[in-house]
Amino acid sequence: MATSPASRRDRRRTAADAGLLVVAAAFVLPLAWVVLSALDPHASLRVKVPDGVTLEHFDAILTPEITFTPLLNSLILCGGATLLTVVCAALAAYPLSRFRSRLNRPFLLTVLFATSLPITAIMVPVYALFVRVNLIDTMQGTVFFFAASQLPFAIWLMKNFMDGVPRELEEAAWTDGASSFQSLLRIVLPLMGPGVAVVTVFSFVMMWGNFFVPFMLLLTPDQMPASVSINDFFGNRGMVAYGQLAAFSIVYSTPVVLLYVLISRRLGGGFALGGAVKG
């Protein structure tokens, strides 16, 4: 007996829902372990409801040496590098979006190729270069490299968002005597706020969780960011302070969550510029 189309659709919908539940569980279980283990006095690798609730793990990690200084270093490194990345990406994307040249496509393809380079493949020459120019074990050198590593993809994203801003709005500003730089600052960037927010969040998150770069370029323990200091919770011979690790992970994730919340309005905004060029 042949099944009806409605029955087949219901089965496909059920299968899709089951697949989504499996994917959701794969994301929820690690988060549940972090939250439960941070409150469990006998935390382990198992995801289980704690027998009791304790804040001892937070008390143990909330010290300048373990948490506050590494978090401050992370904010300095990632905040400075994100600002530098967004500014340079906007300045590089503007001529690619607004001016036509035979070099635009080769340049964009080169940028796209640069995004696929593994960071480990270029760390050896970068390390040698930083030693020569006295940038090794410096915060500013790490900021520069963070920005350079994120810049190719940031340019690509920024250029695509910038293409959505009508050129007619800039031409009206040029008629009133504005320069290209003024039109970029006063017209293009304000109108592509969601795009700037996306580039900012993406760049900050990628830098915030980067372990390898600061581990290679910074040598002084007092300059290490939180992404490197989290390794201290893994002791010798497989011993791990699971409760403290979970508590530190919650504190470590807080700046990224706050950043997303602060600019979530911009992320949800639209360009809605169709009527701006009519009349």
Side-chain angles (χ1 to χ4, degrees), residues 164 166 168-169 191 271-279:
E168 289 82 355
L169 298 176
L191 290 177
F271 290 101
L273 300 176
V277 296
K278 295 180 181 179

Side-chain angles (χ1 to χ4, degrees), residues 2 7-8 12 36 40 43 59 63 84 92-93 97 105 115 124 130 137 139 148 202 208 219 226 242 251 257 262 271:
S7 178
R8 289 195 295 269
R12 288 196 294 266
L36 295 175
D40 190 351
D59 292 337
T63 63
L84 185 60
S97 174
R105 181 175 175 80
T115 62
V124 173
F130 273 41
D137 196 28
M139 299 288 279
F202 178 83
W208 188 259
L219 307 177
Y242 292 110
V251 177
V257 175
L262 288 175
F271 290 101

Side-chain angles (χ1 to χ4, degrees), residues 108-127:
L108 286 173
L109 291 176
T110 303
V111 168
L112 185 61
F113 171 75
T115 62
S116 64
L117 290 175
I119 200 72
T120 54
I122 60 176
M123 279 309 298
V124 173
V126 166
Y127 186 89

Side-chain angles (χ1 to χ4, degrees), residues 61-143:
I61 67 162
L62 292 178
T63 63
E65 297 80 9
I66 297 177
T67 300
F68 298 135
T69 299
L71 278 180
L72 178 61
N73 293 336
S74 293
L75 289 173
I76 294 173
L77 289 174
C78 301
T82 299
L83 178 62
L84 185 60
T85 299
V86 172
V87 171
C88 292
L91 294 176
Y94 183 74
L96 292 173
S97 174
R98 289 301 187 255
F99 304 107
R100 297 293 177 261
S101 171
R102 289 180 296 179
L103 299 178
N104 280 14
R105 181 175 175 80
F107 181 81
L108 286 173
L109 291 176
T110 303
V111 168
L112 185 61
F113 171 75
T115 62
S116 64
L117 290 175
I119 200 72
T120 54
I122 60 176
M123 279 309 298
V124 173
V126 166
Y127 186 89
L129 175 64
F130 273 41
V131 170
R132 285 181 173 271
V133 297
N134 295 322
L135 285 177
I136 200 70
D137 196 28
T138 62
M139 299 288 279
Q140 63 268 24
T142 307
V143 166

Side-chain angles (χ1 to χ4, degrees), residues 9-51:
R9 285 196 301 268
D10 290 340
R11 285 201 297 268
R12 288 196 294 266
R13 187 179 297 111
T14 302
D17 292 341
L20 290 175
L21 287 176
V22 172
V23 174
F27 284 94
V28 169
L29 285 177
L31 295 177
W33 177 87
V34 170
V35 175
L36 295 175
S37 297
L39 302 174
D40 190 351
H42 307 291
S44 64
L45 276 177
R46 293 178 54 193
V47 180
K48 61 183 178 68
V49 178
D51 299 332

Side-chain angles (χ1 to χ4, degrees), residues 189-202:
L189 291 180
L191 290 177
M192 55 174 290
V196 176
V198 169
V199 175
T200 301
V201 171
F202 178 83

Side-chain angles (χ1 to χ4, degrees), residues 6 12 53 76 151 155 197 204 233 277:
R12 288 196 294 266
V53 176
I76 294 173
L151 194 55
I155 293 174
F204 187 85
F233 294 102
V277 296

